[in-house]
Amino acid sequence: MSQVEKKAGLLRRTSSSKKPLKEKVVLMYDEIFAKEDPAKNNPRFWDELFLMKVNLEYLESKLESVDGEEVQRIQDNINSLFHHCVQALAEEHQIKVVNALQTLCALFRGVHQKNKSASGFDIINMLMGFDKAEQRMKVCVEERKECREPQEPLSQTAAYVKMCSQVTDNISQNTILEYVMINSIFEAILQILSDVASRGQHGYDAVVLLALLVNYRKYESVNPYIVKLSIVDDEPTLDGMGMVVHQALTEYNRQYKDKEEENQGGFFSTLTSMVGSMFIADADEKLSVQTNEAILLALYEAVHLNRNFITVLAQSHPEIDIPITPTTPTPMTPTAPLGTTPPSLDMMNNPELPLDPNLQTSNLLITFLKYASIVMQDTKDEHRLNSARLCLIILTCIAEDQYADAFLHDDNMNFRVNLHRMPMRHRKKTVDKNIPSRPLVCAVLDLMVEFIVTHMMKDFPMDLYLRCVQIIHKLLCYQKKCRIRLHYTWRELWSALINLLKFLLSNETTLLAKHNIFHLALLVVNLFNMFITYGDTFLPTSNSYDELYYEIVRMHQVFDNLYCMVLRVSTNTGQWKEAASKVTHALINVRAIVNHFNPKIESYAAVNHISQLSEEQVLEVVRSNYDTLTLKLQDGLDQFERYSEQPKEAAFFKELVRSISLNVRKNVSLNTMSQDVLLKEFSTIS
Amino acid sequence: MADAEVSLSPALRPLQLSPSHSSPPPPPASSSPTTFSCPSSPSSASSSSSSSSSSSCSESSSDCPNHHHHHHHHHHHQPRPQLQLPPPSPGEQPSSPSASPRSSSPSGSIGSTGSLGSSSCASEGFGSSGVSSSGGGGEPRGQSPPLDVISEDAMEMDLTVDQVIDPEVALKACQEVLLQVQLQSRDGPEQQLQQQQQRQQQQQQVQQQQQQQQQVQQQQQQQHLQQQPQQQPQQQQQLTEQTQSEQTQSEQTQRCSPQWIVSPDTSSIKEEDEEEEEGPEQTPPQAARLPSSSSRGSSSSKQSWLLRLFESKLFDVSMAISYLYKSKEPGVQAYIGNRLFSFSDGDVDVYLPQLLNMYVHMDTEVGDAIRPYLIHRCRCSITFSLLTAWLLGAYSSDMHISTQRHSRGTRLRRLILSDELKPSDTHVSDSPAPSPSDRRRHRRHNSSSVEDASVPGEAEVVASPSRRTHQRSKSDATTMSSVSGAGLRRSGSNPKIHEEPERLRPQREFVKSLLCIGKRLATLPTKEQKTQRLISELSLLNHKLPSRVWLPTAERQHHVCRIPHTQAVVLNSKDKAPYIIYVEVLECESFETSPIPLRIPETRIRSARSAENLDCGGGGSTNGMTSEHRAGSFSTVPNYDNDDEAWATDDIGQLQVEAEAQTSSSDNISQFSVDSITSLESKEPVFIAAGDIRRRLSENLAHTPTAFRRDPEDPSAVALKEPWEEKVRRIREASPYGHMTSWRLLSVIVKCGDDLRQELLAYQVLRQLQLIWQQERVPLWIKPYKILVMSSDSGMIEPVLNAVSLHQVRKQSQMSLLDYFLQEHGSFTTEEFLTAQRKFVQSCAGYSLICYLLQVKDRHNGNILLDSEGHIIHIDFGFILSSSPRNLGFETSAFKLTSEFVDVMGGLDGDMFIYYKMLMLQGLIAARKHMEKVLQIVEIMQQGSHLPCFHGSSTIRGLKERFHMSLTEEQLQLLVEQLVDGSMRSITTKLYDSFQYVTNGIM
């Protein structure tokens, strides 16, 4: 599909470029595509070529039009062109370098486009010839490295990074990448990220490219980028990376908000009265903004691979509401107020933050949570499902990280996080402004509760639910371990979980066809077990423990039914026998509570002649009858399986990376590579 | 005994040019005043002994340089004979009688003093400086050298006259001082250097001999001490009064010799210091010398009284400041200016505000007298430079804008900030070793007359401990360099020196950024936004740390390494935004020279912190499980950690492999839970009672120290309530620097838009009163908190740890103060409660007196803190003395004493309430004894000040009256009763509280 589009686009462009008068450069291209060595007649041919303004469209279309056999014939010339491009990169002459770069890009693109289906080796052969391939590529990459040495023409590197990003599709079979792998451009990417100016311009590309490079054949071989990314500990670089991700996500959130506000006008208000969830979905479709899995993937890799990146998540800075349009690289004024400072402060361009009272302080994690709340609203579309899944995976990694947990639970870091909530018929859209300022973990829990409540649908996202419940579990384990008594309204979580069980029960048959609902049920019941047996270590008040019992007793029907169901399944022989029997074991304490308190409550009602006990009365009964209740200590409740990408997630990531690289290729526009831009960059550098 | 102590101190701490009372021994300090001021007192014997000894010492030292007096003095002293016994360098004495007298004679004399016994050295009353000065005819820097010479007269006068205090004598003494100074200024500086060295070295030898004698003397003196511990304060007052009268007389006499005003000493010093601007002038004005010498002739026997005082151990910085302020006589001023050098830095720093205020606002003579000292200290210390610059700026701000620009204070400030006052000596950067050679060089440079003397000296330089030479060379060098421009230039051109152009900058920028944050925060509307912004601003600041910056409020040298930004919190203030930050520092030898600690990235935290720390005692806790089960459940934790470590390994390839290995096991469900379930089936199940869990929960909650609820309107309440130890532990755990042994946590309040000069004044007064009460052993408790004035509208405050305001207590706990006490400390009969109650009473009494004496107003509950031990602490001295908030005449009572306070004390009839009143009485009596010290602090600061607390003309008089000097103790007791009674019944206090509640929401 995208290919067709591409072609169409290219054709259109060719037609527009058909001008009566051919430029000199076009003539020269023609010469290249002739059989003869263009330098034979004109020894200065290559020199001249790179002095000429590049006509990318023509070059690409020319490459496009060459068919298989011709390729063989002109291969020498193309090799030669490539060779000279590489050589020209070393020139001192700026224009030549720029032109060579652009030509190279076009060459890659064109050739690659051409050989879409063919294996990578053909491309290599075509471009450089097998024999010299490695050496040339090395030259090519090393050229970049040398360039970087003295005063670091960053945008050259950036351009090169862009060039690479153009050839990244079909990532695992792309043999050119193999060369990129060998001749690492990792340092170049880091360089871009650590420098404020270059980050503004190329940061996004660099981060995306890095994400893709990290994913290059990661399951088949040892990927050097994984290793390298995992050990980066340079703060400016990591901060820079965080900033890029932050900006991209903020931009997304902003766009979404804008659209939402647009829609809110007439159409939304009338809508809310007659909403069915279906219709909402439609409305959401209109709201949906293209999700950005590439940047999410980058965030994932950073969080997953680099333990140091976690701190960046909490790095607070004012919310940036400006679109990502490359900020004009303001000349860096050397304002390091402390004389002895390493030049590491570049979180912002200026050390003094913009002063705007309305500016909320934010950090990457908050932005990410908001983003996740938007993405999770609707998981029907596959992109969004993938995004939501990736979000949950990232949250899983975060919840497992001790440092991240520490700042999630830091009582001193309070924020208002305005999560986006799906409008639903049984609840009004919450007024944003009234959210209290709380530790960040509350926002995470809110998000999880929100997800649990809003996704009980026929097309049950089992996988997402599992992740969701596991995240909660991991957070609880941390709280128990560190004895953190979070002031959170746990009741909301409990009732959401009970509702989830209820949903599983009522849709047992349909769900069982596709999913192992017992696993999810087990996780949910074990969450309750956590609260029941370890509540003393992390519940905020003694009342909250009573409320837990109240909630269980109040919803005892659900647990009764669940028990009946799992008992039935586990006594039958079948594939779910074992899974169901685990749930029956897990239910012991809940059932003990129900069986212990129900009679007590009934007798209390009977004695006092009250038909309907108030909550306070039930709580009273609960409080006075603890001592006669014995619970069974279940082992391993505070243990969890650590996240590992392989093999469970491998397939997901393979697919994700494929779709991302397709997208990236689609979006990398040559415009950004135009000569003016490049030259401008050069001029700012040298 | 005093002598013994003093003479010991140079040996022990040779570096300290400090008067004896700065160094620990309090007994000599207390004993000495009596000896001087009250001749008839029991200790007169000791005083005589000390004075006599001093005389002998100074005499011997002085006779050579000046070879005038000592002819007629009665050397019928017991030590005398000893003097003649062991003259260490006897041969030289005759050889250079006039040309190089100092070089040889001091050594001889000191040797002799040594043999004389401690008495001689001690007589000077201030460690090594005294000694050095004794020979220091040639010491222009005025390390009190001249005094000894004169003191000789003084002391012997004393003896002869049998300690009759004669104003004339004092005057004469001053004149002598001047004379000495003039004489010295003619001498080459190098000479003096050598002499000092020699003297000190000899001193060392001597000391050993002395010690035996000292012991004997100590015993004697201790007896005296015990006999009369309390009389001295009053006596001292008498003394000061007397000296005042003397001064008036001396003024009269001065008219006869007006030439003094052009004291060559001061002028020469001025040149030295300004040589950077004006170029050096090496020759002191000759003209000035003549008149003084003529004046010297007159009645030398009479003038020594004042000098005797100056010489005495009793003479401390406080008195120096007082005389500097009161004396109109340039000679005295110049002398004191010089004498400042001999006090320890710390002692003088206490009065830095006074010094600087005098410098800014008083006449030229005073300024000139102080200036050399200031310059000297600025050269030595960045800290001092900045403090001085800040204070100068603040105190100059009261001047009219036109005069301000060209005022002395502003100019000095500019000079300091221009960073031209670099450490002028090579010696600081050099290792101690080269200093001897340096000296040799100087010697060569000097006149040949010294040559012979230098030989023995040099030998001893090598022998002397390197530390000493190093330190001394520092001070020597400053003297040297400032006297002789050549010396300075030489050292300046020395390639070894690393000129650091940015000496002051890091700290200035640091402070500036902190203050700017405060200014920006003030524009934000809500506390929450302020706090959030504060946190993010600080996190940026963190990027620039560690750096060569420090917190000026701290006791010890350190570098700031990190600001745990999430801990910072905005304090309650209506329209300003003061905030408290916690600062992690690494202590170091010297913040100026020690290397700056390396930056550890924030991201290293996790490697620095072990997982065990995170456990927070979960392992050992009393969870209802049996211990084996605990162990069982935790046995898997290592697994967790191992995995974590795998992440730490640099090779992620390995991680991949590991991941594969892990996941190759078929089961996707949590391995742990599977294990646990299977194991449970096989094992005996464990049962727990639900009641236990519930009980543990409520117990745990009850046992956690009562924390405050988070309140967005009052974010500081929680932060301040958290016990300091707890906070330190928590922050240390989370800090990448936490593992270092030199790690410390400090905190500071940054205030922007508030004038802290009054706070500083209040701090000084409180500190003084605290010292007085300590000295008088009155168990009143107050907590002066350090103030750092950075300009007339900004500064820093040292926070009171573990304390929250009464307002916060009330608002958070919603109970009466007594109930809160019961909640925090236990029931009435518990020891904790009783201790807390006692502390409450002691602090109440202390602050009641403070509030009365200083007329502290605006006493609403937000301005009164309660610390975790039960003390109350008053903060915010924005309205003191003559100023009070402009509202309806509230707060007419003497101090704030609400019924709540009385309740905590156990009611009106309780013992503790009686104790409270008794404490106040004792405190008032004690304070009265030392009133002058307190008055002086305030009085000097009034000079040129436009602070509201000095509004009107009767500020000082009013303050003085509140000490009620005229009342008998019975009358004072009555007064206290009245004050307490009045305050308690005061309706206005209650009114003011409700007024605050209505207007500012302060409960």
Side-chain angles (χ1 to χ4, degrees), chain B residues 760-797:
Chain B
L760 179 59
L761 177 64
Y763 164 74
Q764 288 191 297
V765 172
L766 259 69
R767 180 93 192 96
Q768 188 62 63
L769 284 170
Q770 189 186 37
L771 285 174
I772 290 169
W773 288 331
Q774 272 168 10
Q775 194 184 333
E776 299 289 325
R777 302 191 189 284
V778 185
L780 289 178
W781 189 95
I782 52 172
K783 165 84 187 161
Y785 49 91
K786 281 189 197 155
I787 301 290
L788 214 72
V789 172
M790 273 146 179
S791 70
S792 55
D793 72 339
S794 63
M796 292 187 184
I797 301 179

Short mmCIF file of all heavy atoms in Angstrom, two decimals, chain B residues 760-797:
data_model
loop_
_atom_site.label_atom_id
_atom_site.label_comp_id
_atom_site.label_asym_id
_atom_site.label_seq_id
_atom_site.Cartn_x
_atom_site.Cartn_y
_atom_site.Cartn_z
N LEU B 760 19.45 39.91 62.06
CA LEU B 760 20.85 39.72 62.43
C LEU B 760 21.14 40.37 63.77
O LEU B 760 21.81 39.80 64.63
CB LEU B 760 21.75 40.30 61.34
CG LEU B 760 23.25 40.21 61.59
CD1 LEU B 760 23.67 38.77 61.75
CD2 LEU B 760 24.02 40.84 60.44
N LEU B 761 20.61 41.54 63.93
CA LEU B 761 20.78 42.24 65.21
C LEU B 761 20.19 41.42 66.34
O LEU B 761 20.81 41.21 67.39
CB LEU B 761 20.12 43.62 65.13
CG LEU B 761 20.14 44.44 66.40
CD1 LEU B 761 21.56 44.78 66.78
CD2 LEU B 761 19.33 45.71 66.23
N ALA B 762 19.00 40.93 66.09
CA ALA B 762 18.34 40.12 67.11
C ALA B 762 19.15 38.87 67.40
O ALA B 762 19.30 38.47 68.56
CB ALA B 762 16.94 39.73 66.64
N TYR B 763 19.68 38.28 66.35
CA TYR B 763 20.51 37.10 66.55
C TYR B 763 21.68 37.42 67.46
O TYR B 763 22.00 36.69 68.39
CB TYR B 763 21.02 36.58 65.21
CG TYR B 763 22.18 35.61 65.35
CD1 TYR B 763 21.98 34.32 65.82
CD2 TYR B 763 23.48 36.00 65.05
CE1 TYR B 763 23.03 33.44 65.98
CE2 TYR B 763 24.54 35.13 65.21
CZ TYR B 763 24.31 33.85 65.67
OH TYR B 763 25.35 32.98 65.83
N GLN B 764 22.31 38.56 67.20
CA GLN B 764 23.48 38.92 68.00
C GLN B 764 23.10 39.13 69.46
O GLN B 764 23.81 38.69 70.36
CB GLN B 764 24.12 40.18 67.43
CG GLN B 764 24.83 39.93 66.12
CD GLN B 764 25.69 41.12 65.73
OE1 GLN B 764 25.15 42.20 65.50
NE2 GLN B 764 26.98 40.93 65.63
N VAL B 765 21.99 39.81 69.64
CA VAL B 765 21.56 40.06 71.02
C VAL B 765 21.21 38.75 71.71
O VAL B 765 21.62 38.48 72.84
CB VAL B 765 20.35 41.01 71.04
CG1 VAL B 765 19.79 41.11 72.43
CG2 VAL B 765 20.75 42.38 70.51
N LEU B 766 20.49 37.90 70.99
CA LEU B 766 20.11 36.62 71.57
C LEU B 766 21.34 35.80 71.92
O LEU B 766 21.43 35.18 72.98
CB LEU B 766 19.22 35.83 70.60
CG LEU B 766 17.73 35.87 70.90
CD1 LEU B 766 17.18 37.24 70.66
CD2 LEU B 766 16.99 34.84 70.05
N ARG B 767 22.28 35.82 71.00
CA ARG B 767 23.50 35.05 71.21
C ARG B 767 24.22 35.58 72.45
O ARG B 767 24.70 34.82 73.28
CB ARG B 767 24.37 35.21 69.97
CG ARG B 767 25.65 34.49 70.00
CD ARG B 767 25.53 33.10 69.37
NE ARG B 767 26.72 32.31 69.67
CZ ARG B 767 26.80 31.44 70.68
NH1 ARG B 767 25.77 31.22 71.44
NH2 ARG B 767 27.92 30.78 70.93
N GLN B 768 24.25 36.89 72.57
CA GLN B 768 24.92 37.50 73.69
C GLN B 768 24.24 37.12 75.00
O GLN B 768 24.88 36.72 75.96
CB GLN B 768 24.93 39.02 73.52
CG GLN B 768 25.77 39.76 74.53
CD GLN B 768 27.23 39.37 74.43
OE1 GLN B 768 27.88 39.60 73.42
NE2 GLN B 768 27.75 38.75 75.49
N LEU B 769 22.93 37.21 74.98
CA LEU B 769 22.18 36.86 76.18
C LEU B 769 22.35 35.39 76.51
O LEU B 769 22.48 35.00 77.68
CB LEU B 769 20.70 37.21 76.00
CG LEU B 769 20.39 38.71 76.13
CD1 LEU B 769 18.98 38.99 75.70
CD2 LEU B 769 20.59 39.17 77.57
N GLN B 770 22.38 34.59 75.47
CA GLN B 770 22.56 33.17 75.70
C GLN B 770 23.90 32.91 76.40
O GLN B 770 23.98 32.14 77.35
CB GLN B 770 22.50 32.42 74.36
CG GLN B 770 22.46 30.92 74.52
CD GLN B 770 22.54 30.22 73.17
OE1 GLN B 770 23.26 30.67 72.27
NE2 GLN B 770 21.82 29.15 73.00
N LEU B 771 24.92 33.59 75.88
CA LEU B 771 26.24 33.44 76.49
C LEU B 771 26.22 33.90 77.95
O LEU B 771 26.78 33.24 78.82
CB LEU B 771 27.27 34.24 75.72
CG LEU B 771 27.69 33.64 74.38
CD1 LEU B 771 28.61 34.58 73.63
CD2 LEU B 771 28.37 32.29 74.60
N ILE B 772 25.57 35.02 78.14
CA ILE B 772 25.50 35.55 79.49
C ILE B 772 24.84 34.55 80.42
O ILE B 772 25.33 34.25 81.50
CB ILE B 772 24.73 36.88 79.51
CG1 ILE B 772 25.56 37.95 78.82
CG2 ILE B 772 24.39 37.30 80.93
CD1 ILE B 772 24.81 39.23 78.54
N TRP B 773 23.74 34.00 79.97
CA TRP B 773 23.01 33.06 80.82
C TRP B 773 23.80 31.79 81.04
O TRP B 773 23.75 31.20 82.10
CB TRP B 773 21.62 32.79 80.23
CG TRP B 773 20.71 33.97 80.37
CD1 TRP B 773 20.76 34.89 81.38
CD2 TRP B 773 19.64 34.36 79.51
NE1 TRP B 773 19.78 35.84 81.19
CE2 TRP B 773 19.08 35.54 80.05
CE3 TRP B 773 19.11 33.84 78.35
CZ2 TRP B 773 18.01 36.20 79.46
CZ3 TRP B 773 18.03 34.49 77.76
CH2 TRP B 773 17.49 35.67 78.31
N GLN B 774 24.48 31.40 79.99
CA GLN B 774 25.32 30.22 80.18
C GLN B 774 26.39 30.50 81.21
O GLN B 774 26.65 29.71 82.11
CB GLN B 774 25.99 29.84 78.85
CG GLN B 774 25.14 28.92 78.00
CD GLN B 774 25.66 28.80 76.58
OE1 GLN B 774 26.77 29.27 76.28
NE2 GLN B 774 24.88 28.22 75.71
N GLN B 775 26.98 31.65 81.06
CA GLN B 775 28.06 32.03 81.95
C GLN B 775 27.56 32.12 83.39
O GLN B 775 28.25 31.73 84.32
CB GLN B 775 28.58 33.37 81.47
CG GLN B 775 29.90 33.78 82.05
CD GLN B 775 30.27 35.17 81.57
OE1 GLN B 775 29.85 35.60 80.50
NE2 GLN B 775 31.04 35.87 82.36
N GLU B 776 26.37 32.63 83.51
CA GLU B 776 25.81 32.82 84.85
C GLU B 776 25.09 31.58 85.34
O GLU B 776 24.49 31.59 86.41
CB GLU B 776 24.84 34.00 84.86
CG GLU B 776 25.47 35.32 84.49
CD GLU B 776 26.39 35.83 85.57
OE1 GLU B 776 26.08 35.61 86.76
OE2 GLU B 776 27.42 36.43 85.26
N ARG B 777 25.12 30.58 84.53
CA ARG B 777 24.49 29.30 84.88
C ARG B 777 23.01 29.47 85.21
O ARG B 777 22.51 28.90 86.18
CB ARG B 777 25.21 28.65 86.03
CG ARG B 777 26.66 28.41 85.74
CD ARG B 777 27.32 27.53 86.76
NE ARG B 777 28.76 27.49 86.55
CZ ARG B 777 29.34 26.78 85.58
NH1 ARG B 777 28.62 26.05 84.77
NH2 ARG B 777 30.66 26.80 85.43
N VAL B 778 22.38 30.27 84.46
CA VAL B 778 20.93 30.36 84.58
C VAL B 778 20.36 29.46 83.49
O VAL B 778 20.68 29.64 82.32
CB VAL B 778 20.43 31.79 84.36
CG1 VAL B 778 18.93 31.85 84.61
CG2 VAL B 778 21.17 32.75 85.26
N PRO B 779 19.54 28.49 83.83
CA PRO B 779 19.10 27.53 82.82
C PRO B 779 18.00 28.06 81.90
O PRO B 779 17.02 27.37 81.65
CB PRO B 779 18.62 26.35 83.66
CG PRO B 779 18.17 26.95 84.94
CD PRO B 779 19.04 28.15 85.17
N LEU B 780 18.17 29.24 81.44
CA LEU B 780 17.22 29.72 80.45
C LEU B 780 17.63 29.17 79.09
O LEU B 780 18.80 29.02 78.81
CB LEU B 780 17.25 31.24 80.38
CG LEU B 780 16.67 31.98 81.57
CD1 LEU B 780 16.83 33.46 81.39
CD2 LEU B 780 15.21 31.64 81.72
N TRP B 781 16.63 28.88 78.33
CA TRP B 781 16.95 28.26 77.04
C TRP B 781 16.44 29.15 75.92
O TRP B 781 15.25 29.48 75.86
CB TRP B 781 16.29 26.89 76.95
CG TRP B 781 16.73 26.08 75.77
CD1 TRP B 781 17.72 25.13 75.75
CD2 TRP B 781 16.20 26.11 74.44
NE1 TRP B 781 17.83 24.60 74.50
CE2 TRP B 781 16.92 25.18 73.68
CE3 TRP B 781 15.20 26.85 73.81
CZ2 TRP B 781 16.67 24.95 72.33
CZ3 TRP B 781 14.96 26.63 72.46
CH2 TRP B 781 15.69 25.69 71.74
N ILE B 782 17.35 29.56 75.04
CA ILE B 782 16.90 30.21 73.80
C ILE B 782 17.71 29.64 72.67
O ILE B 782 18.76 29.01 72.88
CB ILE B 782 17.07 31.74 73.84
CG1 ILE B 782 18.49 32.10 74.24
CG2 ILE B 782 16.06 32.38 74.76
CD1 ILE B 782 18.77 33.58 74.10
N LYS B 783 17.22 29.84 71.51
CA LYS B 783 17.89 29.26 70.34
C LYS B 783 18.11 30.37 69.32
O LYS B 783 17.23 30.63 68.49
CB LYS B 783 17.02 28.14 69.77
CG LYS B 783 17.38 27.67 68.38
CD LYS B 783 18.48 26.65 68.41
CE LYS B 783 18.93 26.32 66.99
NZ LYS B 783 20.24 25.70 66.95
N PRO B 784 19.24 31.03 69.40
CA PRO B 784 19.51 32.02 68.35
C PRO B 784 19.81 31.27 67.04
O PRO B 784 20.54 30.29 67.06
CB PRO B 784 20.77 32.73 68.84
CG PRO B 784 21.02 32.23 70.21
CD PRO B 784 20.34 30.92 70.34
N TYR B 785 19.20 31.68 66.01
CA TYR B 785 19.48 31.02 64.72
C TYR B 785 20.25 31.99 63.83
O TYR B 785 20.01 33.19 63.83
CB TYR B 785 18.20 30.55 64.05
CG TYR B 785 17.11 31.58 63.98
CD1 TYR B 785 17.00 32.43 62.88
CD2 TYR B 785 16.18 31.72 65.02
CE1 TYR B 785 16.00 33.38 62.82
CE2 TYR B 785 15.19 32.68 64.97
CZ TYR B 785 15.12 33.51 63.86
OH TYR B 785 14.14 34.46 63.79
N LYS B 786 21.17 31.43 63.12
CA LYS B 786 22.10 32.26 62.36
C LYS B 786 21.41 32.98 61.22
O LYS B 786 20.51 32.44 60.56
CB LYS B 786 23.21 31.39 61.79
CG LYS B 786 24.24 31.06 62.82
CD LYS B 786 25.42 30.39 62.16
CE LYS B 786 26.24 29.68 63.22
NZ LYS B 786 26.99 28.58 62.64
N ILE B 787 21.89 34.16 61.00
CA ILE B 787 21.32 34.99 59.95
C ILE B 787 22.44 35.41 59.03
O ILE B 787 23.55 35.70 59.47
CB ILE B 787 20.70 36.26 60.55
CG1 ILE B 787 19.62 35.91 61.55
CG2 ILE B 787 20.19 37.17 59.45
CD1 ILE B 787 18.40 35.35 60.93
N LEU B 788 22.14 35.41 57.78
CA LEU B 788 23.12 35.84 56.81
C LEU B 788 22.49 36.96 55.99
O LEU B 788 21.54 36.72 55.26
CB LEU B 788 23.42 34.66 55.89
CG LEU B 788 24.83 34.60 55.41
CD1 LEU B 788 25.72 34.19 56.55
CD2 LEU B 788 24.92 33.62 54.29
N VAL B 789 23.01 38.12 56.18
CA VAL B 789 22.45 39.24 55.43
C VAL B 789 23.19 39.34 54.11
O VAL B 789 24.42 39.39 54.09
CB VAL B 789 22.61 40.54 56.22
CG1 VAL B 789 22.22 41.73 55.37
CG2 VAL B 789 21.78 40.49 57.47
N MET B 790 22.48 39.32 53.04
CA MET B 790 23.14 39.39 51.75
C MET B 790 22.93 40.71 51.05
O MET B 790 23.68 41.10 50.17
CB MET B 790 22.68 38.25 50.86
CG MET B 790 23.53 37.04 51.14
SD MET B 790 22.65 35.55 50.99
CE MET B 790 24.00 34.42 51.35
N SER B 791 21.88 41.34 51.40
CA SER B 791 21.68 42.71 50.94
C SER B 791 20.61 43.25 51.85
O SER B 791 20.17 42.58 52.78
CB SER B 791 21.25 42.74 49.48
OG SER B 791 19.93 42.24 49.36
N SER B 792 20.16 44.45 51.56
CA SER B 792 19.16 44.99 52.46
C SER B 792 17.80 44.34 52.25
O SER B 792 16.86 44.62 52.98
CB SER B 792 19.05 46.49 52.27
OG SER B 792 18.78 46.77 50.92
N ASP B 793 17.70 43.47 51.27
CA ASP B 793 16.40 42.80 51.13
C ASP B 793 16.52 41.32 50.79
O ASP B 793 15.63 40.75 50.18
CB ASP B 793 15.54 43.51 50.08
CG ASP B 793 16.05 43.28 48.68
OD1 ASP B 793 17.24 42.93 48.55
OD2 ASP B 793 15.27 43.43 47.72
N SER B 794 17.59 40.73 51.19
CA SER B 794 17.68 39.29 50.97
C SER B 794 18.68 38.70 51.95
O SER B 794 19.51 39.42 52.51
CB SER B 794 18.10 38.98 49.54
OG SER B 794 19.40 39.48 49.31
N GLY B 795 18.60 37.42 52.08
CA GLY B 795 19.52 36.77 52.98
C GLY B 795 19.14 35.34 53.22
O GLY B 795 18.25 34.80 52.55
N MET B 796 19.84 34.74 54.14
CA MET B 796 19.57 33.35 54.45
C MET B 796 19.44 33.19 55.96
O MET B 796 20.02 33.95 56.73
CB MET B 796 20.70 32.46 53.97
CG MET B 796 20.81 32.39 52.47
SD MET B 796 22.03 31.18 52.01
CE MET B 796 22.03 31.40 50.25
N ILE B 797 18.70 32.19 56.33
CA ILE B 797 18.46 31.93 57.74
C ILE B 797 18.75 30.46 58.00
O ILE B 797 18.39 29.60 57.19
CB ILE B 797 17.00 32.24 58.12
CG1 ILE B 797 16.69 33.70 57.83
CG2 ILE B 797 16.75 31.91 59.57
CD1 ILE B 797 15.27 34.08 58.15
#
